[in-house]
PDB file of all heavy atoms in Angstrom:
ATOM      1  N   THR A   1      -6.240  -5.077   6.607  1.00 94.00           N
ATOM      2  CA  THR A   1      -5.998  -6.502   6.379  1.00 94.00           C
ATOM      3  C   THR A   1      -6.793  -7.375   7.344  1.00 94.00           C
ATOM      4  O   THR A   1      -6.524  -8.560   7.492  1.00 94.00           O
ATOM      5  CB  THR A   1      -4.500  -6.824   6.483  1.00 94.00           C
ATOM      6  OG1 THR A   1      -4.002  -6.375   7.752  1.00 94.00           O
ATOM      7  CG2 THR A   1      -3.726  -6.141   5.358  1.00 94.00           C
ATOM      8  N   HIS A   2      -7.779  -6.779   8.002  1.00 92.00           N
ATOM      9  CA  HIS A   2      -8.758  -7.502   8.819  1.00 92.00           C
ATOM     10  C   HIS A   2      -8.100  -8.406   9.862  1.00 92.00           C
ATOM     11  O   HIS A   2      -8.468  -9.577  10.029  1.00 92.00           O
ATOM     12  CB  HIS A   2      -9.702  -8.297   7.918  1.00 92.00           C
ATOM     13  CG  HIS A   2     -10.460  -7.430   6.962  1.00 92.00           C
ATOM     14  ND1 HIS A   2     -11.665  -6.846   7.260  1.00 92.00           N
ATOM     15  CD2 HIS A   2     -10.143  -6.998   5.706  1.00 92.00           C
ATOM     16  CE1 HIS A   2     -12.080  -6.107   6.242  1.00 92.00           C
ATOM     17  NE2 HIS A   2     -11.168  -6.177   5.285  1.00 92.00           N
ATOM     18  N   GLY A   3      -7.121  -7.845  10.557  1.00 84.00           N
ATOM     19  CA  GLY A   3      -6.512  -8.557  11.668  1.00 84.00           C
ATOM     20  C   GLY A   3      -5.358  -9.461  11.303  1.00 84.00           C
ATOM     21  O   GLY A   3      -4.769 -10.100  12.189  1.00 84.00           O
ATOM     22  N   ALA A   4      -5.003  -9.547  10.022  1.00 75.00           N
ATOM     23  CA  ALA A   4      -3.869 -10.386   9.637  1.00 75.00           C
ATOM     24  C   ALA A   4      -2.590  -9.862  10.290  1.00 75.00           C
ATOM     25  O   ALA A   4      -2.328  -8.656  10.286  1.00 75.00           O
ATOM     26  CB  ALA A   4      -3.708 -10.405   8.123  1.00 75.00           C
ATOM     27  N   LEU A   5      -1.809 -10.772  10.832  1.00 71.00           N
ATOM     28  CA  LEU A   5      -0.601 -10.392  11.548  1.00 71.00           C
ATOM     29  C   LEU A   5       0.658 -10.540  10.701  1.00 71.00           C
ATOM     30  O   LEU A   5       1.766 -10.361  11.189  1.00 71.00           O
ATOM     31  CB  LEU A   5      -0.475 -11.241  12.820  1.00 71.00           C
ATOM     32  CG  LEU A   5      -1.645 -11.133  13.807  1.00 71.00           C
ATOM     33  CD1 LEU A   5      -1.418 -12.067  14.992  1.00 71.00           C
ATOM     34  CD2 LEU A   5      -1.840  -9.703  14.284  1.00 71.00           C
ATOM     35  N   LYS A   6       0.492 -10.864   9.404  1.00 80.00           N
ATOM     36  CA  LYS A   6       1.654 -11.124   8.555  1.00 80.00           C
ATOM     37  C   LYS A   6       2.433  -9.852   8.237  1.00 80.00           C
ATOM     38  O   LYS A   6       3.650  -9.885   8.065  1.00 80.00           O
ATOM     39  CB  LYS A   6       1.215 -11.801   7.258  1.00 80.00           C
ATOM     40  CG  LYS A   6       0.530 -13.144   7.476  1.00 80.00           C
ATOM     41  CD  LYS A   6       0.029 -13.737   6.164  1.00 80.00           C
ATOM     42  CE  LYS A   6      -0.704 -15.043   6.382  1.00 80.00           C
ATOM     43  NZ  LYS A   6      -1.219 -15.618   5.120  1.00 80.00           N
ATOM     44  N   VAL A   7       1.722  -8.727   8.110  1.00 88.00           N
ATOM     45  CA  VAL A   7       2.376  -7.464   7.753  1.00 88.00           C
ATOM     46  C   VAL A   7       1.746  -6.327   8.542  1.00 88.00           C
ATOM     47  O   VAL A   7       0.601  -6.418   8.997  1.00 88.00           O
ATOM     48  CB  VAL A   7       2.252  -7.161   6.237  1.00 88.00           C
ATOM     49  CG1 VAL A   7       2.968  -8.212   5.408  1.00 88.00           C
ATOM     50  CG2 VAL A   7       0.791  -7.060   5.820  1.00 88.00           C
ATOM     51  N   ASP A   8       2.497  -5.248   8.682  1.00 89.00           N
ATOM     52  CA  ASP A   8       1.996  -4.030   9.310  1.00 89.00           C
ATOM     53  C   ASP A   8       1.201  -3.240   8.270  1.00 89.00           C
ATOM     54  O   ASP A   8       1.765  -2.839   7.243  1.00 89.00           O
ATOM     55  CB  ASP A   8       3.174  -3.208   9.825  1.00 89.00           C
ATOM     56  CG  ASP A   8       2.746  -1.853  10.370  1.00 89.00           C
ATOM     57  OD1 ASP A   8       1.552  -1.691  10.690  1.00 89.00           O
ATOM     58  OD2 ASP A   8       3.600  -0.954  10.451  1.00 89.00           O
ATOM     59  N   PRO A   9      -0.103  -3.001   8.497  1.00 88.00           N
ATOM     60  CA  PRO A   9      -0.905  -2.283   7.491  1.00 88.00           C
ATOM     61  C   PRO A   9      -0.348  -0.905   7.142  1.00 88.00           C
ATOM     62  O   PRO A   9      -0.417  -0.488   5.986  1.00 88.00           O
ATOM     63  CB  PRO A   9      -2.284  -2.178   8.151  1.00 88.00           C
ATOM     64  CG  PRO A   9      -2.337  -3.329   9.104  1.00 88.00           C
ATOM     65  CD  PRO A   9      -0.936  -3.478   9.621  1.00 88.00           C
ATOM     66  N   ALA A  10       0.208  -0.213   8.140  1.00 91.00           N
ATOM     67  CA  ALA A  10       0.763   1.121   7.857  1.00 91.00           C
ATOM     68  C   ALA A  10       1.944   1.023   6.894  1.00 91.00           C
ATOM     69  O   ALA A  10       2.082   1.841   5.973  1.00 91.00           O
ATOM     70  CB  ALA A  10       1.188   1.789   9.155  1.00 91.00           C
ATOM     71  N   ARG A  11       2.783   0.036   7.091  1.00 94.00           N
ATOM     72  CA  ARG A  11       3.906  -0.159   6.164  1.00 94.00           C
ATOM     73  C   ARG A  11       3.389  -0.582   4.795  1.00 94.00           C
ATOM     74  O   ARG A  11       3.910  -0.146   3.756  1.00 94.00           O
ATOM     75  CB  ARG A  11       4.867  -1.204   6.715  1.00 94.00           C
ATOM     76  CG  ARG A  11       6.101  -1.376   5.824  1.00 94.00           C
ATOM     77  CD  ARG A  11       7.012  -2.466   6.312  1.00 94.00           C
ATOM     78  NE  ARG A  11       8.041  -2.754   5.312  1.00 94.00           N
ATOM     79  CZ  ARG A  11       8.629  -3.929   5.164  1.00 94.00           C
ATOM     80  NH1 ARG A  11       8.296  -4.955   5.951  1.00 94.00           N
ATOM     81  NH2 ARG A  11       9.535  -4.108   4.228  1.00 94.00           N
ATOM     82  N   LEU A  12       2.364  -1.426   4.778  1.00 95.00           N
ATOM     83  CA  LEU A  12       1.786  -1.874   3.509  1.00 95.00           C
ATOM     84  C   LEU A  12       1.222  -0.691   2.723  1.00 95.00           C
ATOM     85  O   LEU A  12       1.380  -0.613   1.500  1.00 95.00           O
ATOM     86  CB  LEU A  12       0.697  -2.918   3.775  1.00 95.00           C
ATOM     87  CG  LEU A  12       0.027  -3.553   2.562  1.00 95.00           C
ATOM     88  CD1 LEU A  12       1.036  -4.214   1.628  1.00 95.00           C
ATOM     89  CD2 LEU A  12      -1.020  -4.586   3.021  1.00 95.00           C
ATOM     90  N   GLU A  13       0.572   0.243   3.427  1.00 96.00           N
ATOM     91  CA  GLU A  13       0.079   1.456   2.761  1.00 96.00           C
ATOM     92  C   GLU A  13       1.211   2.197   2.068  1.00 96.00           C
ATOM     93  O   GLU A  13       1.077   2.636   0.915  1.00 96.00           O
ATOM     94  CB  GLU A  13      -0.598   2.374   3.781  1.00 96.00           C
ATOM     95  CG  GLU A  13      -1.935   1.866   4.296  1.00 96.00           C
ATOM     96  CD  GLU A  13      -2.503   2.716   5.409  1.00 96.00           C
ATOM     97  OE1 GLU A  13      -1.808   3.643   5.867  1.00 96.00           O
ATOM     98  OE2 GLU A  13      -3.638   2.446   5.825  1.00 96.00           O
ATOM     99  N   LYS A  14       2.325   2.342   2.765  1.00 96.00           N
ATOM    100  CA  LYS A  14       3.474   3.067   2.213  1.00 96.00           C
ATOM    101  C   LYS A  14       4.045   2.338   0.994  1.00 96.00           C
ATOM    102  O   LYS A  14       4.311   2.957  -0.048  1.00 96.00           O
ATOM    103  CB  LYS A  14       4.545   3.229   3.293  1.00 96.00           C
ATOM    104  CG  LYS A  14       5.793   3.998   2.859  1.00 96.00           C
ATOM    105  CD  LYS A  14       6.726   4.197   4.040  1.00 96.00           C
ATOM    106  CE  LYS A  14       7.939   5.025   3.649  1.00 96.00           C
ATOM    107  NZ  LYS A  14       8.813   4.314   2.689  1.00 96.00           N
ATOM    108  N   VAL A  15       4.197   1.017   1.109  1.00 97.00           N
ATOM    109  CA  VAL A  15       4.787   0.235   0.019  1.00 97.00           C
ATOM    110  C   VAL A  15       3.903   0.268  -1.224  1.00 97.00           C
ATOM    111  O   VAL A  15       4.394   0.458  -2.349  1.00 97.00           O
ATOM    112  CB  VAL A  15       5.026  -1.219   0.477  1.00 97.00           C
ATOM    113  CG1 VAL A  15       5.347  -2.123  -0.706  1.00 97.00           C
ATOM    114  CG2 VAL A  15       6.143  -1.270   1.514  1.00 97.00           C
ATOM    115  N   LEU A  16       2.612   0.110  -1.059  1.00 97.00           N
ATOM    116  CA  LEU A  16       1.705   0.090  -2.213  1.00 97.00           C
ATOM    117  C   LEU A  16       1.728   1.420  -2.952  1.00 97.00           C
ATOM    118  O   LEU A  16       1.717   1.462  -4.193  1.00 97.00           O
ATOM    119  CB  LEU A  16       0.286  -0.248  -1.767  1.00 97.00           C
ATOM    120  CG  LEU A  16       0.050  -1.687  -1.304  1.00 97.00           C
ATOM    121  CD1 LEU A  16      -1.357  -1.844  -0.736  1.00 97.00           C
ATOM    122  CD2 LEU A  16       0.257  -2.683  -2.450  1.00 97.00           C
ATOM    123  N   GLN A  17       1.768   2.519  -2.216  1.00 96.00           N
ATOM    124  CA  GLN A  17       1.795   3.832  -2.866  1.00 96.00           C
ATOM    125  C   GLN A  17       3.132   4.093  -3.565  1.00 96.00           C
ATOM    126  O   GLN A  17       3.180   4.872  -4.517  1.00 96.00           O
ATOM    127  CB  GLN A  17       1.515   4.925  -1.837  1.00 96.00           C
ATOM    128  CG  GLN A  17       0.080   4.893  -1.334  1.00 96.00           C
ATOM    129  CD  GLN A  17      -0.194   5.988  -0.326  1.00 96.00           C
ATOM    130  OE1 GLN A  17      -0.583   7.105  -0.675  1.00 96.00           O
ATOM    131  NE2 GLN A  17       0.023   5.677   0.941  1.00 96.00           N
ATOM    132  N   GLU A  18       4.188   3.437  -3.096  1.00 96.00           N
ATOM    133  CA  GLU A  18       5.469   3.547  -3.791  1.00 96.00           C
ATOM    134  C   GLU A  18       5.493   2.703  -5.060  1.00 96.00           C
ATOM    135  O   GLU A  18       6.155   3.052  -6.046  1.00 96.00           O
ATOM    136  CB  GLU A  18       6.603   3.119  -2.854  1.00 96.00           C
ATOM    137  CG  GLU A  18       6.850   4.097  -1.710  1.00 96.00           C
ATOM    138  CD  GLU A  18       7.822   3.547  -0.673  1.00 96.00           C
ATOM    139  OE1 GLU A  18       8.123   2.329  -0.745  1.00 96.00           O
ATOM    140  OE2 GLU A  18       8.263   4.327   0.188  1.00 96.00           O
ATOM    141  N   MET A  19       4.752   1.597  -5.060  1.00 96.00           N
ATOM    142  CA  MET A  19       4.744   0.701  -6.216  1.00 96.00           C
ATOM    143  C   MET A  19       3.889   1.216  -7.358  1.00 96.00           C
ATOM    144  O   MET A  19       4.210   1.010  -8.534  1.00 96.00           O
ATOM    145  CB  MET A  19       4.235  -0.686  -5.797  1.00 96.00           C
ATOM    146  CG  MET A  19       5.218  -1.506  -5.002  1.00 96.00           C
ATOM    147  SD  MET A  19       4.560  -3.168  -4.694  1.00 96.00           S
ATOM    148  CE  MET A  19       6.010  -3.926  -3.934  1.00 96.00           C
ATOM    149  N   VAL A  20       2.789   1.877  -7.029  1.00 96.00           N
ATOM    150  CA  VAL A  20       1.826   2.296  -8.048  1.00 96.00           C
ATOM    151  C   VAL A  20       1.481   3.765  -7.850  1.00 96.00           C
ATOM    152  O   VAL A  20       1.160   4.202  -6.743  1.00 96.00           O
ATOM    153  CB  VAL A  20       0.537   1.440  -7.983  1.00 96.00           C
ATOM    154  CG1 VAL A  20      -0.472   1.936  -9.017  1.00 96.00           C
ATOM    155  CG2 VAL A  20       0.855  -0.023  -8.212  1.00 96.00           C
ATOM    156  N   ASN A  21       1.542   4.529  -8.930  1.00 95.00           N
ATOM    157  CA  ASN A  21       1.123   5.923  -8.936  1.00 95.00           C
ATOM    158  C   ASN A  21      -0.404   5.959  -8.961  1.00 95.00           C
ATOM    159  O   ASN A  21      -1.029   5.570  -9.952  1.00 95.00           O
ATOM    160  CB  ASN A  21       1.702   6.628 -10.167  1.00 95.00           C
ATOM    161  CG  ASN A  21       1.265   8.075 -10.277  1.00 95.00           C
ATOM    162  OD1 ASN A  21       0.463   8.569  -9.493  1.00 95.00           O
ATOM    163  ND2 ASN A  21       1.789   8.760 -11.282  1.00 95.00           N
ATOM    164  N   LEU A  22      -1.015   6.435  -7.887  1.00 95.00           N
ATOM    165  CA  LEU A  22      -2.466   6.397  -7.750  1.00 95.00           C
ATOM    166  C   LEU A  22      -3.140   7.706  -8.160  1.00 95.00           C
ATOM    167  O   LEU A  22      -4.300   7.936  -7.832  1.00 95.00           O
ATOM    168  CB  LEU A  22      -2.847   6.017  -6.316  1.00 95.00           C
ATOM    169  CG  LEU A  22      -2.495   4.572  -5.948  1.00 95.00           C
ATOM    170  CD1 LEU A  22      -2.693   4.318  -4.462  1.00 95.00           C
ATOM    171  CD2 LEU A  22      -3.324   3.594  -6.771  1.00 95.00           C
ATOM    172  N   SER A  23      -2.428   8.549  -8.885  1.00 93.00           N
ATOM    173  CA  SER A  23      -3.101   9.692  -9.508  1.00 93.00           C
ATOM    174  C   SER A  23      -4.024   9.167 -10.606  1.00 93.00           C
ATOM    175  O   SER A  23      -3.866   8.032 -11.065  1.00 93.00           O
ATOM    176  CB  SER A  23      -2.076  10.642 -10.121  1.00 93.00           C
ATOM    177  OG  SER A  23      -1.447  10.037 -11.251  1.00 93.00           O
ATOM    178  N   PRO A  24      -5.007   9.953 -11.050  1.00 90.00           N
ATOM    179  CA  PRO A  24      -5.860   9.486 -12.143  1.00 90.00           C
ATOM    180  C   PRO A  24      -5.055   9.062 -13.373  1.00 90.00           C
ATOM    181  O   PRO A  24      -5.329   8.021 -13.974  1.00 90.00           O
ATOM    182  CB  PRO A  24      -6.742  10.703 -12.438  1.00 90.00           C
ATOM    183  CG  PRO A  24      -6.835  11.412 -11.122  1.00 90.00           C
ATOM    184  CD  PRO A  24      -5.477  11.242 -10.493  1.00 90.00           C
ATOM    185  N   ARG A  25      -4.060   9.849 -13.741  1.00 91.00           N
ATOM    186  CA  ARG A  25      -3.227   9.481 -14.878  1.00 91.00           C
ATOM    187  C   ARG A  25      -2.430   8.209 -14.573  1.00 91.00           C
ATOM    188  O   ARG A  25      -2.282   7.333 -15.426  1.00 91.00           O
ATOM    189  CB  ARG A  25      -2.263  10.611 -15.237  1.00 91.00           C
ATOM    190  CG  ARG A  25      -1.459  10.322 -16.509  1.00 91.00           C
ATOM    191  CD  ARG A  25      -0.267  11.264 -16.627  1.00 91.00           C
ATOM    192  NE  ARG A  25      -0.667  12.651 -16.713  1.00 91.00           N
ATOM    193  CZ  ARG A  25      -0.994  13.269 -17.835  1.00 91.00           C
ATOM    194  NH1 ARG A  25      -0.996  12.597 -18.981  1.00 91.00           N
ATOM    195  NH2 ARG A  25      -1.330  14.551 -17.828  1.00 91.00           N
ATOM    196  N   GLY A  26      -1.920   8.103 -13.346  1.00 93.00           N
ATOM    197  CA  GLY A  26      -1.144   6.927 -12.977  1.00 93.00           C
ATOM    198  C   GLY A  26      -1.950   5.649 -13.050  1.00 93.00           C
ATOM    199  O   GLY A  26      -1.472   4.623 -13.566  1.00 93.00           O
ATOM    200  N   SER A  27      -3.180   5.675 -12.539  1.00 94.00           N
ATOM    201  CA  SER A  27      -4.040   4.487 -12.593  1.00 94.00           C
ATOM    202  C   SER A  27      -4.379   4.130 -14.032  1.00 94.00           C
ATOM    203  O   SER A  27      -4.339   2.954 -14.419  1.00 94.00           O
ATOM    204  CB  SER A  27      -5.330   4.735 -11.801  1.00 94.00           C
ATOM    205  OG  SER A  27      -5.052   4.895 -10.423  1.00 94.00           O
TER     206      SER A  27
END
């Protein structure tokens, strides 16, 4: 997030992967 302090990037990584299935079939 290029230094943005609004969210923790590590937590954002976890949340995004929970929201969307990033397997080829999932995408």
Side-chain angles (χ1 to χ4, degrees):
T1 55
H2 300 272
L5 301 178
K6 299 176 182 179
V7 297
D8 174 19
R11 184 184 170 208
L12 183 57
E13 289 174 354
K14 181 175 183 293
V15 168
L16 290 173
Q17 291 181 89
E18 290 171 349
M19 286 185 173
V20 178
N21 178 356
L22 292 171
S23 69
R25 185 195 299 274
S27 295

